[in-house]
Amino acid sequence: STRPRRCYRRPTSRLQDWYCTVPGEGGPKTRHAHRRPASARLLGTSAMAGDDLKSARVHPFARLIAKYPMQMVGAMFLVFFVLSFIGGNAVEVTFGTPSGRNAYSPTDARATQRLDMYIVAQDTIEVKSESAERQTSSIPGFTLIFEEETPSGEPDLSKDIFSPANLEYILRAQEVITKNENYTNYCLRCPTEDSVTCKRATKAYNRALDLETAIQTGEGEAGAVNDALSAAEALCDIVPDTCRIKKCVQDVKQLIADGASNETTIVDTQDCIVLGAKLAKEGACGDLPGCEGASAKKPKCQPAYSPLNYFYDFDKEKFNSRKSSFKKLDNEIDSPKAEDIPDRVSVYPANFFLPRYYKRDDLESHTTRLTVLLGLPLEGYEDANDRTDEQETEVNAWMISVYPELEALRLEIDAAKPGLKLRWLSNNEVINDYFNTILFFDLAAVFGAIIFVGFYIRVHTGSTFLAGMCLLGVILCFPVGCFWTIVVFRVRFFDPLNVFLLFVLLGLGADGVFIVFDAWEQSKAGLDYWTEAHGEDALAVRMSYVWRRASRAMMACNGTTALAFIAVIPSPIMPMASFGILSAFTIIHNWILDVTLVPALILLWDKHLRKNRLCCCLPRPPPSGEPAKLCGLVDDPCAEARTSTSSEVSPARDAKDEGAGGTASHARKGLNRTEKFFRDTYAPLVLKWKVPMLVCSTAFVAVMIYYASLLRADTESPQFLPDNHPLWKAIVGLRDGWKEGESEERGELWMVWGVAGNDASNFTKFDFGQAECNEGPCGEVIWEPSFDPAPVSMQKYLLNSCEEAAKISAPNGRGGDFVYDEKISTCLMKSFRGWLRSKDEDFPVEDEDEFWDKMHEFLREPDEDTVAGEGYGDFVQNKLTRLASNEGKRMFFLIQGVFVDYSPQLFYGTSEVLPGLEASFEFEEEWNEEKPEGQPDFFVTTSSGLFTATRMQEAYISSTFQGVATALGFALFSLLVFVANIVVALLAFVCIAGVVCCTLGIMVLQGWALGPIEAICATIVVGFSVDYVVHYALAYVAAPDKKRAERVTFALSEVGISVMAGAITTLGASAFLLVTTLSFFSKFGIFMMSTIAFSLVVANVAFVALLALCGPENDVGDMRIWAKWIMDKAKGRSSDGVDAV
C-alpha cells in the first residue's frame, strides 16, 4: 500500500508487538506488523531506528537533560572551568636533558638505568667554592658559521668566503657580540699568573725542562728514555692537555731501538714534551695573543677564536692582505713547534676555521666559522663554583638578549647578499629560547585550527551560539585531562609534543557535535508521533532517542580511541606513555561532553534561540514542536527562501519509508542536499559497483601493506626543523663539515665503581625532570659498601683500567675509532700517582692508613684558611668521586673515563654507535673478571647519553608495533561490544587494519623513519582509523530493514553527513599544521590528513562495498541473540519462546 501509516508498539511480557494504523475507508485499521524479542535490549538497542522500540521508556538521564537543560549546562561548565583552572596551573613543560639523559630514553634499557645511577650518584656531591683562589672557567658562547651557497641551497665551492665584502659581514657579526655594552661582564678573561691553573702549568713546564736535561746528560739511552717516559706520565697527570706527549716519548723510545742518534732523540723530545708543556703554560698563564698585560687587577677578555685574527688588524682597524693572511692561516693548520710559537697568531691549530675537504696550500674555502667563549666567575662571585647555577642563568639571559641582533643581521645579509649565509649556534638554554620563539609562532596554527573548526560547526548547525559554546567545551577537555593526569594520578611529566592532542581533540569533539546535532535534526520526523503517543513527555522521549543514538555512537568512537591511547601506556619510552595517559583522560571527558553538555546546549538553542536567530535566508527546518506552516507566516522573513529550497519526498518514497518496520527518522519529509546525495546518488552507486570498488580498494591496501612493512627506526638525528633552516644546517654542518682538532668537544666513556643501584621506589618514571629530582632522573643512590680503593692491588687495578679502556677498539661508523686517539679524559689514580711523584713519593701507597691520608690531602676541600687539594677541582668539583667526611676511610664512588670520538651535542645512528657499545660492554665483562678479590664490579656508561640514544631507536620499533597490535586488539573488542554483530565487527576491523597499513605505508613513502614524532603518530593511528567505520557499522546494524541493500542505503543516508562533516573539520584543522616551521608539527599535520583521508575513503568505499557485498541480513551474527540464549540457559529456561524478527 502507498497510503501513509503510523507504527507503534504494544509491550508484552516477553515480546514487543508492532502495529501499524492504516487510514482507510470506514476509519483507521490496525494491522499487526511483526514481533521482536524483548531480549533485543540486551547489550543495548540499535542506535537509531530500533530505538523506537524503547520510545515510551525514557532514559532517566535524557529526561534530566530535557527537564533541566540550563542547569545541566551551568553545572557542566562550572565543573569544567574549575578542573581546567587547577589542571592548567599544574602544567609544567619539561625540557631537561641532564648529563645526556633524554626523557625519551627507554626506561627498561640497561644503558638508561646505568646512566640514571651515574647521575643520581653525582647529585649526592655538594661542591664548595675554592674561596682561597679564583678560578676561571670557560662556558659555551656563540659559534658563528658563514657559508657561500648556490640558489638551490647547495655549497658553492667556487666562491671565496674570505672576499673583502664577506669579511666585512664576518666582522659585523663578530662585533654584534664583542661590541655589546655588557660583553666584558661575561667574556672569558685572559688567564693570569696568580691562578691555580697557571701554577700547575708552570710546574709541568719546569718538569719538562728537567726531563730534557735528564735525556741530554743521562747515563745510557735506555735509562734516559725510561726516566723520560715516567716523567711524561707525571706531566700528563698534572696537566691533561699534555697527555699526548706520552705517545711522543714512546715514539722516541722506538727511535732509539731502531738505532737513531742521541741528537735525534733530544730534538724529538724538545718538539714533543717541552712544546706540550710550553703550550700548557702559555694557555694557563696569559701568554696568549691578545692577552698581553692581563692581571688580576686589570683583567682582559680573551680574543674571539676567529679567522679575523689573521685577516683583520684590530689595533689599526683595517683588513690585511687576503693572500698573506690566508697563507698565514694555512701555515698554522697544524700544532706548532716550540720555535714557532713567538711568531704565531694563535697557539691553537687553525684547522678549526676550515672545512673538512681543505688541503694544505689550497688557499680557497667557501665556508668558515668563529667562536666567542664566555667565562666564569662573574663580578660579585668568588669563583666559577660559587653559585654556579646563578652565574650561568645570568650569562644565559645576556646571550638570549643578544641573539635577536644576530637574527636581524642574518636577515639583512640574506636580503643584501643572497649567496652568503650566516648561521649561529649556542648552548642549550639559548637554543631552547630560540626554539620556543619558533614554537610560539607555530602555535598560531592551533588558533587557526580552532577558528576553522568553530566556523564549520557554525555552518553545519547554523548557530554561532552552538559553535562557540560547544567549541569552548571541547577545548576545556584538554586542561581537564591535565587535572586528572597531573593532579590526581601524579603523572607530572608534560612534554611539548602533548600539544598535538589539541588537534586530536578538535577532530573528535567536532565529530561528536555533528553526531548529536544530526540526530536531533533527524528526530523531528518522529515528533508528531511522539507528541500524539506521549503528550507532554514527547520532549523527553525525543531526547531519549537522540541521547541513546549519540551516546552509543560516541562511546564506540571515543572509547576505541581512548583504548588506542591506553595501549601506548606500557611503552618504555616515558613521554609516549605520559602522552597516552593524558590523551585517554582527555578523550573520556570529550565523551562526557558529547552526552551531557552538547545535547543540553542543542536543546536550549532549539527552544529559546533558534527562531530568534538572525536570518541569513538559508534553508533551515522549522523549530521543533511547531507545525510546519510556521514557515509560511508573514513575519517569517526566511519563509520564502526556505520554501523555495526545501526538498520534498515523493509519496511513493514516503510510503516505503513508513512501511512496516519503518522508522520516524527515515521518514523525514525534507532532507538536505548532502543526505539526499548519500541516499539517492551514492548508495545506488555503491550497490551497483560494489565489486569493482572492493577490488580497487583491496589492491591499493595491498600495496600500502608492502610499504608499511618497510618501516624502520630512524638512524639519523631527530630533525625538528626543515632541511633549509639555518639552525638545522648549522647543526648538520657541525657534525660532518669541519676538520677535527684538539679543541673539538667530545663525549666520554665512563667507568663507575661503588654504585650498586638506584632506589626509585618513592617515585614513578613520570617524575623525571621535576625539581625534587634535580630536573633529571629520580631516585636515591644505593652504594656498594665493598668498594675500597686502598689496597695496593686495587690501586694498580684502577690505574690499569684507564690504560686498558683507552685501547678499546671499535669503528665509529665514520672512518675512525670509537675511542679518540687512545686518550684518557680523567683517571684519579693517574693524577694521584703524578701528584705523589711530584713530591718524590712512591705509588702505589703500601700502607692503607697512609693511602687515605694522602687521598684526603689530594682531594682536600677548601675552607677560609686552606686551599683546595690539587685534585679537588678535577675530581670533586667535576663530581667524579666522593670521600667520606672527617677523614673517613671510605670512597663512596669513583668515575674514570676515556674520550670517545662523538660530539655530545649531536645524535648518532645505531650503526655508528652499536660497535662501540658492544665493545664497551665486552671490555666491562672482561675487566671485571680481573678485579681483585672482594671488590665489586664496575659498569660503563657515557657522559652524553650515547648508548641510551641507541637503545631509544630500538625501543621505537618494539613499542610502536606492540602499541599498534594492542590498539587493534582493543579496537576489535570495542567493535564486538558496541556493534554487537560479529560479522559487521569483523568487516569493520579488517577495514580499520587497512587504514592503519595505508597510513604507515604513506609514512614510508614520505621518507620517514621511526623517531619520536613518527612513533607517536604510528601508535595513535588506530584511534583515528576507527571513527567513520564505526559510525557506518552502528547505522547498518540499526537499520529497520533487514535486507542488505536497504541497510547500506540507510547507513549512508543517516550518518554520511556526520562522517563528511567530521572529516572536513579534522582535515581543515590539520591543514594549518602544514605551514608551521617545526618539522614535528608539519609531520603531524601530514599524518593527521593522511589518516583522516584514508579513514574517509576506506569507510565510504571499501567498508560500505563490503557491507553491500557480504553484510549480514536479518539477525545473522547478532550477538544479542546469543547473549539471550546464554542467559536463558544459565537460568534453566528454554529458548523456544524466542521468535525471530
Side-chain angles (χ1 to χ4, degrees):
S1 172
T2 61
R3 289 174 293 182
R5 300 180 284 186
R6 190 184 308 279
C7 296
Y8 59 96
R9 57 113 174 149
R10 291 176 182 172
T12 62
S13 59
R14 298 203 52 209
L15 299 176
Q16 291 184 349
D17 296 350
W18 277 68
Y19 297 86
C20 292
T21 303
V22 183
E25 296 179 3
K29 298 179 180 180
T30 300
R31 297 179 180 175
H32 181 267
H34 69 282
R35 294 186 299 172
R36 182 179 178 87
S39 61
R41 291 195 301 273
L42 277 167
L43 302 178
T45 59
S46 57
M48 301 173 196
D51 219 86
D52 286 334
L53 294 171
K54 300 173 68 176
S55 57
R57 185 179 177 183
V58 179
H59 194 283
F61 195 79
R63 184 185 296 279
L64 184 67
I65 296 174
K67 189 173 182 180
Y68 304 108
M70 182 68 74
Q71 292 85 339
M72 177 67 70
V73 170
M76 290 302 300
F77 269 123
L78 177 63
V79 172
F80 270 52
F81 273 121
V82 171
L83 298 185
S84 296
F85 178 79
I86 299 173
N89 286 329
V91 172
E92 292 184 7
V93 180
T94 308
F95 289 103
T97 55
S99 300
R101 169 64 158 93
N102 192 294
Y104 281 82
S105 303
T107 54
D108 61 349
R110 179 171 62 163
T112 304
Q113 294 166 357
R114 289 179 165 190
L115 185 57
D116 288 353
M117 292 162 60
Y118 152 73
I119 295 173
V120 171
Q122 287 191 315
D123 287 342
T124 64
I125 298 179
E126 295 183 3
V127 177
K128 293 184 179 180
S129 298
E130 294 189 30
S131 55
E133 297 188 57
R134 291 176 63 85
Q135 294 292 294
T136 300
S137 173
S138 66
I139 59 176
F142 288 99
T143 296
L144 308 184
I145 302 170
F146 304 86
E147 184 176 19
E148 287 280 5
E149 284 187 353
T150 64
S152 62
E154 298 297 323
D156 192 346
L157 303 183
S158 65
K159 295 291 182 65
D160 177 22
I161 195 64
F162 296 119
S163 67
N166 289 349
L167 287 171
E168 290 281 358
Y169 281 120
I170 294 173
L171 178 62
R172 284 185 59 190
Q174 179 174 311
E175 290 185 342
V176 165
I177 305 169
T178 59
K179 294 295 184 181
N180 184 280
E181 60 182 357
N182 294 316
Y183 170 68
T184 55
N185 297 332
Y186 306 104
C187 68
L188 177 62
R189 294 180 176 86
C190 292
T192 58
E193 293 183 357
D194 57 353
S195 69
V196 171
T197 307
C198 177
K199 293 176 181 178
R200 292 180 181 177
T202 301
K203 182 188 292 186
Y205 179 60
N206 293 333
R207 194 171 184 84
L209 294 178
D210 294 340
L211 174 61
E212 181 183 21
T213 303
I215 293 177
Q216 291 174 337
T217 61
E219 295 181 3
E221 292 178 341
V225 172
N226 288 333
D227 289 342
L229 187 58
S230 298
E233 290 176 347
L235 180 60
C236 172
D237 293 340
I238 295 171
V239 183
D241 288 342
T242 63
C243 288
R244 55 186 172 159
I245 67 176
K246 177 182 174 182
K247 186 176 185 300
C248 296
V249 176
Q250 293 173 337
D251 293 340
V252 172
K253 184 176 182 179
Q254 186 62 42
L255 285 173
I256 296 175
D258 294 340
S261 66
N262 197 46
E263 182 179 350
T264 302
T265 305
I266 293 173
V267 172
D268 288 341
T269 303
Q270 287 176 329
D271 286 341
C272 180
I273 302 173
V274 179
L275 172 62
K278 184 174 179 60
L279 290 177
K281 179 177 179 296
E282 291 189 348
C285 299
D287 299 333
L288 295 172
C291 285
E292 298 83 0
S295 65
K297 294 182 179 180
K298 190 179 179 180
K300 293 181 67 175
C301 293
Q302 288 192 29
Y305 191 34
S306 166
L308 291 174
N309 296 336
Y310 297 88
F311 290 89
Y312 187 73
D313 189 331
F314 286 92
D315 293 330
K316 298 180 180 179
E317 296 185 352
K318 70 175 186 178
F319 288 98
N320 302 322
S321 166
R322 179 201 176 280
K323 184 176 181 181
S324 61
S325 299
F326 209 147
K327 187 63 178 176
K328 186 77 172 175
L329 186 151
D330 183 81
N331 290 336
E332 296 187 9
I333 287 179
D334 300 322
S335 298
K337 296 190 180 214
E339 63 270 16
D340 297 333
I341 290 178
D343 299 326
R344 287 178 67 98
V345 174
S346 173
V347 294
Y348 300 108
N351 57 5
F352 175 85
F353 309 119
L354 299 170
R356 186 178 293 273
Y357 69 80
Y358 184 86
K359 296 179 181 178
R360 176 63 66 87
D361 296 328
D362 280 352
L363 301 183
E364 289 183 357
S365 175
H366 82 288
T367 184
T368 190
R369 60 177 172 168
L370 64 89
T371 186
V372 180
L373 292 176
L374 305 178
L376 305 180
L378 304 181
E379 198 66 34
Y381 295 88
E382 290 293 332
D383 55 50
N385 299 297
D386 180 15
R387 293 166 288 165
T388 303
D389 291 342
E390 292 182 18
Q391 294 189 67
E392 291 182 348
T393 299
E394 190 174 337
V395 174
N396 290 332
W398 176 76
M399 287 194 291
I400 289 172
S401 71
V402 170
Y403 83 75
E405 298 180 39
L406 288 174
E407 276 293 288
L409 179 60
R410 181 182 69 80
L411 296 175
E412 178 185 335
I413 294 174
D414 285 346
K417 199 172 187 301
L420 178 63
K421 301 299 178 185
L422 164 63
R423 306 181 185 109
W424 60 269
L425 289 170
S426 189
N427 63 25
N428 287 338
E429 293 297 326
V430 179
I431 295 299
N432 282 341
D433 186 84
Y434 180 66
F435 178 86
N436 288 338
T437 301
I438 299 174
L439 181 63
F440 176 79
F441 286 103
D442 281 356
L443 285 178
V446 176
F447 295 103
I450 291 173
I451 292 171
F452 173 81
V453 172
F455 172 76
Y456 194 83
I457 294 176
R458 166 64 180 84
V459 170
H460 188 87
T461 62
S463 170
T464 304
F465 168 79
L466 281 182
M469 299 299 284
C470 291
L471 194 58
L472 176 62
V474 169
I475 295 172
L476 288 177
C477 289
F478 184 78
V480 171
C482 293
F483 167 80
W484 290 103
T485 304
I486 300 173
V487 178
V488 178
F489 288 92
R490 308 296 294 169
V491 180
R492 296 186 291 170
F493 182 87
F494 191 91
D495 192 85
L497 297 184
N498 286 349
V499 72
F500 292 149
L501 185 56
L502 284 172
F503 293 90
V504 178
L505 191 59
L506 285 173
L508 281 175
D511 187 37
V513 173
F514 297 141
I515 289 294
V516 179
F517 180 81
D518 291 338
W520 180 262
E521 291 295 283
Q522 292 166 4
S523 67
K524 286 196 298 289
L527 193 57
D528 291 342
Y529 164 69
W530 286 323
T531 301
E532 179 182 342
H534 306 290
E536 296 180 354
D537 218 19
L539 182 60
V541 174
R542 182 185 181 188
M543 180 55 71
S544 184
Y545 162 78
V546 172
W547 192 87
R548 282 195 178 94
R549 169 177 165 178
S551 63
R552 189 176 180 200
M554 296 318 300
M555 172 62 86
C557 294
N558 286 275
T560 307
T561 305
L563 287 174
F565 283 113
I566 290 173
V568 182
I569 295 176
S571 171
I573 301 177
M574 184 269 293
M576 293 178 62
S578 172
F579 181 79
I581 295 172
L582 175 61
S583 301
F585 279 118
T586 302
I587 291 169
I588 289 171
H589 282 86
N590 180 68
W591 173 77
I592 295 174
L593 180 92
D594 290 336
V595 299
T596 56
L597 184 63
V598 175
L601 284 171
I602 291 175
L603 181 56
L604 278 177
W605 166 75
D606 192 82
K607 290 178 65 176
H608 303 291
L609 299 176
R610 187 171 193 167
K611 58 186 175 182
N612 297 322
R613 71 184 187 278
L614 293 176
C615 179
C616 55
C617 290
L618 292 175
R620 294 286 182 228
S624 59
E626 299 291 340
K629 64 181 181 180
L630 258 179
C631 297
L633 293 179
V634 177
D635 59 354
D636 184 3
C638 290
E640 183 177 352
R642 276 197 298 270
T643 303
S644 62
T645 56
S646 62
S647 57
E648 296 294 334
V649 182
S650 65
R653 183 70 192 177
D654 288 342
K656 181 179 179 181
D657 288 344
E658 296 189 13
T663 69
S665 62
H666 202 18
R668 296 191 303 278
K669 296 295 175 73
L671 300 174
N672 66 34
R673 294 173 182 175
T674 305
E675 292 171 317
K676 286 182 64 179
F677 167 78
F678 276 106
R679 188 193 68 178
D680 300 333
T681 303
Y682 189 66
L685 183 68
V686 170
L687 295 172
K688 182 178 180 181
W689 298 98
K690 53 184 177 292
V691 175
M693 291 171 66
L694 192 57
V695 171
C696 293
S697 301
T698 303
F700 179 79
V701 171
V703 173
M704 300 309 290
I705 289 175
Y706 165 75
Y707 283 107
S709 68
L710 303 179
L711 191 62
R712 297 291 183 267
D714 199 353
T715 59
E716 300 295 332
S717 171
Q719 186 168 345
F720 55 88
L721 289 168
D723 290 331
N724 61 350
H725 194 278
L727 178 59
W728 182 251
K729 281 203 166 187
I731 293 172
V732 173
L734 186 65
R735 172 178 174 176
D736 298 319
W738 302 95
K739 282 185 174 295
E740 295 184 354
E742 292 289 335
S743 60
E744 299 289 339
E745 187 178 5
R746 290 179 173 83
E748 293 161 285
L749 176 70
W750 294 128
M751 298 169 286
V752 183
W753 284 269
V755 180
N758 176 32
D759 181 11
S761 57
N762 295 326
F763 303 91
T764 70
K765 63 181 180 180
F766 303 108
D767 291 324
F768 176 90
Q770 303 304 313
E772 61 267 34
C773 301
N774 292 319
E775 299 183 349
C778 300
E780 296 182 3
V781 64
I782 302 174
W783 302 116
E784 178 54 72
S786 62
F787 172 60
D788 183 6
V792 170
S793 59
M794 192 60 180
Q795 294 178 52
K796 294 179 179 179
Y797 174 77
L798 292 173
L799 175 64
N800 294 336
S801 66
C802 298
E803 300 288 347
E804 293 300 318
K807 298 177 183 177
I808 294 176
S809 179
N812 65 3
R814 293 169 284 117
D817 294 325
F818 175 72
V819 176
Y820 175 70
D821 199 26
E822 297 187 2
K823 192 170 182 179
I824 297 171
S825 63
T826 179
C827 186
L828 175 65
M829 284 303 164
K830 281 178 64 67
S831 298
F832 183 58
R833 182 185 65 178
W835 176 73
L836 290 173
R837 287 180 175 176
S838 69
K839 300 171 60 176
D840 295 325
E841 297 181 11
D842 295 331
F843 177 89
V845 180
E846 297 289 341
D847 183 75
E848 293 190 12
D849 291 337
E850 183 182 358
F851 168 85
W852 287 114
D853 291 339
K854 297 294 183 183
M855 185 61 71
H856 275 284
E857 182 182 355
F858 179 62
L859 301 177
R860 181 180 57 242
E861 293 184 349
D863 55 35
E864 294 181 356
D865 302 320
T866 309
V867 298
E870 193 159 328
Y872 179 80
D874 292 335
F875 297 98
V876 180
Q877 283 185 340
N878 290 329
K879 299 185 176 182
L880 300 179
T881 191
R882 177 187 171 189
L883 287 180
S885 59
N886 300 322
E887 305 298 320
K889 297 178 181 180
R890 181 177 181 185
M891 180 178 288
F892 289 95
F893 74 97
L894 173 62
I895 299 172
Q896 302 186 136
V898 297
F899 285 111
V900 293
D901 199 9
Y902 300 84
S903 171
Q905 299 176 339
L906 300 178
F907 184 93
Y908 297 89
T910 302
S911 60
E912 296 173 291
V913 180
L914 192 57
L917 182 149
E918 294 175 344
S920 299
F921 285 166
E922 184 178 339
F923 163 77
E924 172 194 308
E925 183 178 350
E926 293 177 355
W927 199 245
N928 274 326
E929 294 178 358
E930 303 293 329
K931 69 179 184 293
E933 185 177 354
Q935 293 289 341
D937 290 346
F938 72 93
F939 65 85
V940 296
T941 185
T942 55
S943 62
S944 60
L946 189 68
F947 292 166
T948 60
T950 301
R951 295 309 184 201
M952 183 167 59
Q953 296 172 56
E954 298 171 354
Y956 286 147
I957 290 290
S958 60
S959 63
T960 296
F961 287 104
Q962 179 181 349
V964 169
T966 305
L968 285 173
F970 284 152
L972 179 59
F973 171 78
S974 298
L975 289 168
L976 291 173
V977 170
F978 294 113
V979 176
N981 187 295
I982 190 170
V983 177
V984 177
L986 290 176
L987 293 178
F989 176 77
V990 170
C991 290
I992 292 169
V995 174
V996 173
C997 292
C998 289
T999 305
L1000 297 181
I1002 206 68
M1003 291 170 65
V1004 175
L1005 291 175
Q1006 288 281 341
W1008 298 358
L1010 282 177
I1013 178 60
E1014 294 85 0
I1016 289 176
C1017 291
T1019 50
I1020 66 175
V1021 65
V1022 176
F1024 276 112
S1025 306
V1026 167
D1027 293 0
Y1028 308 142
V1029 171
V1030 166
H1031 287 322
Y1032 282 127
L1034 290 173
Y1036 182 88
V1037 299
D1041 297 301
K1042 299 305 174 182
K1043 296 300 180 181
R1044 189 176 296 136
E1046 285 75 9
R1047 282 185 161 187
V1048 171
T1049 301
F1050 177 85
L1052 286 169
S1053 62
E1054 287 295 308
V1055 298
I1057 183 174
S1058 302
V1059 167
M1060 288 300 298
I1064 290 172
T1065 52
T1066 309
L1067 287 171
S1070 304
F1072 284 89
L1073 289 171
L1074 302 182
V1075 298
T1076 54
T1077 300
L1078 297 177
S1079 294
F1080 51 72
F1081 273 145
S1082 56
K1083 280 188 174 182
F1084 194 74
I1086 294 172
F1087 159 77
M1088 288 273 288
M1089 295 188 73
S1090 300
T1091 306
I1092 296 304
F1094 285 130
S1095 299
L1096 184 65
V1097 171
V1098 169
N1100 282 286
V1101 178
F1103 183 57
V1104 294
L1106 270 174
L1107 292 176
L1109 183 66
C1110 53
E1113 295 184 330
N1114 299 317
D1115 290 326
V1116 174
D1118 192 340
M1119 298 173 63
R1120 294 170 295 192
I1121 303 299
W1122 303 351
K1124 174 62 172 62
W1125 182 82
I1126 293 172
M1127 292 183 67
D1128 284 347
K1129 286 293 185 181
K1131 295 178 180 178
R1133 295 190 313 191
S1134 171
S1135 60
D1136 295 341
V1138 180
D1139 297 332
V1141 176

